[in-house]
Amino acid sequence: MSYHLVFTGNPGTGKTTIGRIIAAIYRDLGILKKGHLVETDRSGLVAGYLGQTATKTNAIIDEALDGVLFIDEAYSLNSDRRGCFEDEAIATLIKEMEDNRDDLIVIVAGYSGLMSEFIESNPGLKSRFNTYMHFPDYKADELKKIFVGMCNKYGLVLTKEADEAVDEHIEQMVKFKDENFGNARDARNFFEKVVSKQ
């Protein structure tokens, strides 16, 4: 079976967190020996000179063996957008996924549309990734729960007025979100601003 996964969705929707949970589940099921997660992105795989990218990619794969390699913003490896160094990283990744099929699970993550382009850009990728999980943006009430959870963690209690102000701010965040909306990250940033103002 192929356990490799594609996670799609905007930033701050919990993709990395779920990756860690899945790694632990695969360990507990006996699919992986260690079940650790190694997180990387384009900069962790691609070098500046021809021939060095394969070495760099292999090094990160070796670190992830018996666990999960989580490649965030994997679409940045799309050779249509970049060049030959990215092709080398993808070719190395595909070979190692095959050679280590019992010892390595790869999760690639990023924005939905860009991830579709990335997977479609290479037949080797398309044949290895057949399970997709989409992470939708958080709704206002979910972001409020995240905010309140952070308050609880630090022993802070919202007054009635503060609670209403938080509701209003989060509603505005969701209503006017753009492509840079950070979901839980924005809720955390808002929490930190509130604490610093206090």
Side-chain angles (χ1 to χ4, degrees):
M1 285 185 65
S2 173
Y3 296 102
H4 308 301
L5 299 163
V6 179
F7 286 0
T8 62
N10 291 328
T13 50
K15 296 184 292 293
T16 307
T17 301
I18 297 301
R20 286 191 188 96
I21 292 168
I22 286 175
I25 290 170
Y26 283 161
R27 180 197 61 224
D28 292 347
L29 292 173
I31 295 165
L32 294 171
K33 290 178 188 160
K34 294 181 186 172
H36 62 297
L37 183 132
V38 175
E39 184 180 358
T40 192
D41 57 14
R42 180 187 176 278
S43 65
L45 300 170
V46 177
Y49 299 97
L50 200 58
Q52 290 182 332
T53 292
T55 303
K56 194 172 185 180
T57 302
N58 276 320
I60 201 93
I61 289 169
D62 287 345
E63 188 182 338
L65 284 177
D66 295 322
V68 171
L69 176 62
F70 185 96
I71 305 173
D72 199 15
E73 297 178 356
Y75 52 80
S76 64
L77 294 170
N78 190 339
S79 60
D80 293 344
R81 299 173 175 278
R82 302 285 185 159
C84 60
F85 299 136
E86 289 75 13
D87 286 341
E88 187 179 0
I90 291 172
T92 304
L93 179 65
I94 290 170
K95 180 184 183 303
E96 293 300 321
M97 286 170 74
E98 187 60 34
D99 291 351
N100 298 291
R101 61 184 313 132
D102 296 327
D103 306 310
L104 176 70
I105 291 171
V106 177
I107 299 174
V108 291
Y111 293 105
S112 300
L114 293 172
M115 288 305 294
S116 294
E117 288 177 27
F118 170 64
I119 297 296
E120 293 291 328
S121 72
N122 185 301
L125 291 172
K126 192 173 180 181
S127 66
R128 284 166 180 81
F129 291 99
N130 53 27
T131 304
Y132 289 69
M133 291 178 67
H134 180 68
F135 291 69
D137 284 345
Y138 286 110
K139 297 176 183 148
D141 63 321
E142 294 167 325
L143 291 171
K144 173 73 180 290
K145 285 179 185 173
I146 291 168
F147 184 92
V148 170
M150 286 185 270
C151 288
N152 294 339
K153 181 178 177 182
Y154 293 99
L156 301 171
V157 179
L158 292 169
T159 63
K160 183 176 182 288
E161 294 83 3
D163 190 64
E164 290 169 0
V166 167
D167 282 342
E168 185 178 332
H169 182 81
I170 290 175
E171 289 287 345
Q172 294 299 309
M173 279 172 50
V174 171
K175 184 176 180 181
F176 296 107
K177 69 182 178 182
D178 59 15
E179 68 276 357
N180 298 314
F181 183 58
N183 286 284
R185 289 180 199 164
D186 282 359
R188 182 185 65 222
N189 291 341
F190 175 49
F191 171 78
E192 290 171 357
K193 281 182 187 174
V194 168
V195 171
S196 68
K197 292 274 187 184
Q198 184 194 34

